[in-house]
Amino acid sequence: MTDQAKIRLDKWLWAARFYKTRAIAKQMVEGGKVHYEGQRAKCSKIVELGASLQIRQGFDQRVVIVKALSEQRRGAVEAQLLYEETAESIERREKETLQRKAMKGAELSPGHKPDKRSRRQLLEVKELQRG
């Protein structure tokens, strides 16, 4: 891990193991799934220490702070040292995951009355949305 190197955004995302290949990282940046300091960025954007990144992966959206730079992709333990996810991001992701799990069993076909289990799941979702 070097602190003086100039590293492209797509290469850093690949090295930090957010995406399996640099090509996928490039597609995600170009597609607007990655924001650098709150704005869309190009793949060639030079990553700086302390920068804030918003990364969308499927249903999850993470907000991470760049802690270190690396041009090489290493093991997952070392890759996690490159960034730190904010507490608000972790909390929001966990809350959204719980809501998705609760909604999974609450799928109803139109025109049918929900059974006892489905009503309970719907009530749980409504309580999560309020709180």
Side-chain angles (χ1 to χ4, degrees):
M1 292 181 217
T2 60
D3 292 335
Q4 301 297 330
K6 291 184 178 181
I7 300 172
R8 293 169 48 107
L9 180 58
D10 59 343
K11 195 167 190 175
W12 186 87
L13 290 167
W14 167 75
R17 294 186 158 265
F18 285 106
Y19 300 107
K20 195 169 185 175
T21 65
R22 272 188 72 185
I24 295 172
K26 181 180 178 190
Q27 287 176 351
M28 295 298 119
V29 173
E30 289 174 348
K33 304 290 187 205
V34 178
H35 289 227
Y36 186 88
E37 295 292 345
Q39 297 183 354
R40 285 183 72 161
K42 293 184 178 181
C43 301
S44 59
K45 176 73 177 167
I46 302 299
V47 178
E48 299 172 351
L49 293 176
S52 171
L53 297 173
Q54 291 87 23
I55 304 167
R56 187 155 205 50
Q57 292 178 304
F59 292 115
D60 294 331
Q61 182 165 350
R62 299 172 186 246
V63 177
V64 298
I65 307 297
V66 177
K67 292 291 180 189
L69 304 175
S70 177
E71 290 185 345
Q72 295 180 340
R73 186 176 170 101
R74 301 193 184 253
V77 175
E78 290 181 45
Q80 289 177 348
L81 299 175
L82 298 178
Y83 63 90
E84 179 183 349
E85 187 171 3
T86 62
E88 297 85 24
S89 173
I90 294 170
E91 185 179 322
R92 185 178 61 242
R93 258 189 327 111
E94 289 174 352
K95 185 177 178 183
E96 289 172 356
T97 301
L98 287 174
Q99 286 180 346
R100 281 196 305 273
K101 285 182 181 179
M103 289 298 288
K104 193 172 193 177
E107 297 171 0
L108 299 174
S109 55
H112 293 285
K113 184 177 177 183
D115 62 356
K116 189 173 186 177
R117 181 173 179 234
S118 297
R119 282 194 305 274
R120 286 181 181 163
Q121 289 174 339
L122 286 170
L123 289 172
E124 286 177 20
V125 170
K126 287 180 181 178
E127 286 179 23
L128 283 174
Q129 290 175 347
R130 280 189 233 144

